[in-house]
Amino acid sequence: MTDIKLISNPFRDDKYTARLSSDDCIKFHKSLPDYSSSPLVDLYELSENLNLKSLQIKDESKRFNLNAFKSLGASYAMAKIIVSQVGNDQLDLDFNSIMQHKNATKEMTFATATDGNHGRAVAWSAEIFGCKAIVYLPEGTSRHRISAIESHGANAVVTELNYDETVEYAARMADENNWILIQDTSWKDYEDIPRDIMIGYQTMIHELSSDHFIWPTHVFMQAGVGSFAASIFDAFCNIDRPRPKFILVEPHGAACYFESIQVGDGKPHTVKKLDTLMAGLCCGTPSIIAWDIIKQTADYFVICDDGIALDAMKQMAEKKSDDQSIVSGESGAVTTGIIEKICSNPKYSNYLDVLGLDDSSSIFCISTEGDTNPDLYNQALGRQ
Ligand SMILES: Cc1ncc(COP(=O)(O)O)c(C=O)c1O
């Protein structure tokens, strides 16, 4: 088995215009307690060693002390639901305004399914707004992810199902119990809430305007159901600058985008057997909103083995140069791992040509999580 595979996207549409963008997401996030922009890290030495102009990584391990970017989506979507349910057209999408309606929020129960990070984000959002949350998890979820969710007062229920089945189960339970389903993936007739979650993620791109951000030639984003990568690609398309090349990265063992593109009928397909250590990316079915955006915007689809993420976790943690170290979990580190391998291993020199990577290239990635699974993190770093 090759450890990296790359295909180009026959469905890409040069004329794609951004469809998610909304400026109120960053304004809303700034109103939340303890908001601060996540750091943008410039890996000077690594980029020099890899013969690149720059390699910039946004470090989401610092987001609201929650160790992952997901709170941006859940909090924004939950706030929009609360505002619409309180039924007050005058109510601002703003933390203090929502907190005037505690009597209403305490009656609301939100349900979701999660690999861990989205569930923690829903639990935290429910906690700050004074709502209840019930979070369903697939079998085999790490104990740290479960206790992280419970630490926000949510009810965490581990199922005997895989991720895709857990999503269906949570939807059914929400329906039967009159809870509000807040899911980070979309399907036919369930699109408004996942779209708001994707808009919430775009705060990460809005924040770059106040950083010393080098406009990228290449943007590498990792995908589970694709909501995250689609929101980032869409946000870049909304800025009037030369469009970077967009590269979608997935694990071999959960590559629903790569496999769907290979089928070639332009439709999303489900991968039934899921097998990867990258828990956040371990999803078998593309979100339909994300599929439409990624199909039109991505230039290339790349898959790789878990080993590439594990190597990158170690490399990003170890400070061997003046570059800043980054605590990056398995789903966060994979894009940096791919770049490092493609740029340094002669075996992949043809990928350098295909992607057009050279000393004039500026790459942007997001390390989407910190050590959300400390056991695996310590193992990757050789600490146990
Ligand atoms: C850390 C991390 N990175 C990336 C992703 C991928 O996001 P999406 O499922 O929207 O593709 C997830 C999803 O849970 C995640 O937890």
Side-chain angles (χ1 to χ4, degrees):
M1 194 184 359
T2 34
D3 42 357
I4 300 180
K5 270 195 199 163
L6 178 150
I7 52 174
S8 62
N9 179 12
F11 302 105
R12 191 180 168 283
D13 180 1
D14 265 344
K15 297 192 192 64
Y16 176 87
T17 47
R19 58 184 66 156
L20 294 174
S21 309
S22 152
D23 288 338
D24 70 352
C25 62
I26 186 159
K27 189 165 156 267
F28 163 73
H29 286 130
K30 283 183 174 171
S31 80
L32 294 177
D34 299 326
Y35 166 83
S36 64
S37 175
S38 65
L40 181 69
V41 179
D42 204 331
L43 297 178
Y44 297 103
E45 287 204 33
L46 183 59
S47 63
E48 218 173 278
N49 294 342
L50 298 178
N51 194 34
L52 298 166
K53 183 173 165 208
S54 67
L55 174 53
Q56 292 185 295
I57 302 191
K58 196 159 170 66
D59 177 6
E60 288 297 314
S61 70
K62 305 283 195 310
R63 182 68 66 186
F64 289 119
N65 291 322
L66 294 170
N67 227 358
F69 74 100
K70 286 264 165 176
S71 51
L72 293 172
S75 59
Y76 180 75
M78 196 177 284
K80 287 201 77 166
I81 295 165
I82 294 171
V83 166
S84 74
Q85 296 233 339
V86 167
N88 181 344
D89 289 347
Q90 307 303 313
L91 188 62
D92 283 340
L93 196 68
D94 163 274
F95 181 70
N96 288 330
S97 309
I98 290 172
M99 293 322 282
Q100 314 279 312
H101 295 267
K102 278 191 189 148
N103 283 344
T105 59
K106 75 175 193 299
E107 299 303 325
M108 292 182 192
T109 301
F110 289 90
T112 195
T114 182
D115 53 76
N117 290 326
H118 171 66
R120 183 171 188 191
V122 169
W124 173 78
S125 305
E127 183 182 34
I128 60 169
F129 291 129
C131 313
K132 295 185 210 62
I134 301 193
V135 179
Y136 293 97
L137 299 122
E139 65 177 340
T141 302
S142 87
R143 66 193 159 89
H144 290 281
R145 291 183 196 268
I146 298 164
S147 44
I149 289 164
E150 289 174 337
S151 73
H152 300 288
N155 186 0
V157 181
V158 182
T159 66
E160 292 178 348
L161 308 167
N162 74 16
Y163 173 78
D164 290 356
E165 293 159 346
T166 310
V167 171
E168 283 171 29
Y169 184 68
R172 208 166 56 243
M173 295 310 283
D175 201 34
E176 283 172 13
N177 292 285
N178 242 339
W179 300 329
I180 303 160
L181 181 71
I182 180 160
Q183 201 57 64
D184 53 351
T185 187
S186 63
W187 52 86
K188 190 170 173 300
D189 299 330
Y190 183 74
E191 296 184 37
D192 293 348
I193 292 171
R195 184 178 294 106
D196 282 337
I197 288 176
M198 294 168 78
I199 291 172
Y201 295 159
Q202 294 193 332
T203 280
M204 287 181 277
I205 303 306
H206 290 297
E207 285 173 350
L208 295 172
S209 63
S210 45
D211 288 316
H212 296 290
F213 183 55
I214 301 165
W215 186 257
T217 54
H218 296 74
V219 171
F220 285 70
M221 292 292 140
Q222 55 276 58
V225 299
S227 298
F228 159 71
S231 77
I232 302 301
F233 294 166
D234 181 85
F236 272 106
C237 292
N238 199 35
I239 302 172
D240 195 16
R241 306 268 314 249
R243 194 168 291 188
K245 284 193 175 127
F246 297 130
I247 298 107
L248 192 88
V249 172
E250 293 172 288
H252 248 132
C256 54
Y257 279 85
F258 191 93
E259 306 267 338
S260 298
I261 291 295
Q262 280 201 317
V263 172
D265 60 3
K267 297 192 183 112
H269 293 273
T270 294
V271 174
K272 282 267 186 291
K273 195 171 162 291
L274 301 176
D275 181 17
T276 174
L277 290 173
M278 297 176 228
L281 313 185
C282 191
C283 313
T285 305
S287 160
I288 57 166
I289 302 176
W291 169 261
D292 265 356
I293 295 174
I294 288 172
K295 183 176 130 181
Q296 292 175 67
T297 53
D299 291 270
Y300 298 99
F301 294 84
V302 177
I303 52 173
C304 72
D305 290 343
D306 287 350
I308 291 199
L310 299 175
D311 285 354
M313 286 156 82
K314 187 166 159 65
Q315 194 179 37
M316 291 165 85
E318 286 171 354
K319 198 168 158 13
K320 287 197 210 102
S321 61
D322 283 344
D323 282 348
Q324 200 177 308
S325 62
I326 300 177
V327 176
S328 187
E330 53 284 2
S331 300
V334 63
T335 42
T336 310
I338 292 260
I339 292 157
E340 201 270 332
K341 284 281 185 299
I342 290 181
C343 294
S344 64
N345 190 334
K347 183 171 152 192
Y348 303 117
S349 56
N350 62 322
Y351 291 168
L352 281 181
D353 298 337
V354 174
L355 294 170
L357 284 174
D358 57 28
D359 60 1
S360 66
S361 303
S362 297
I363 301 186
F364 174 64
C365 307
I366 300 181
S367 173
T368 47
E369 66 178 353
D371 54 347
T372 54
N373 180 349
D375 294 340
L376 182 60
Y377 188 78
N378 287 329
Q379 218 177 307
L381 266 59
R383 289 182 183 157
Q384 51 176 234

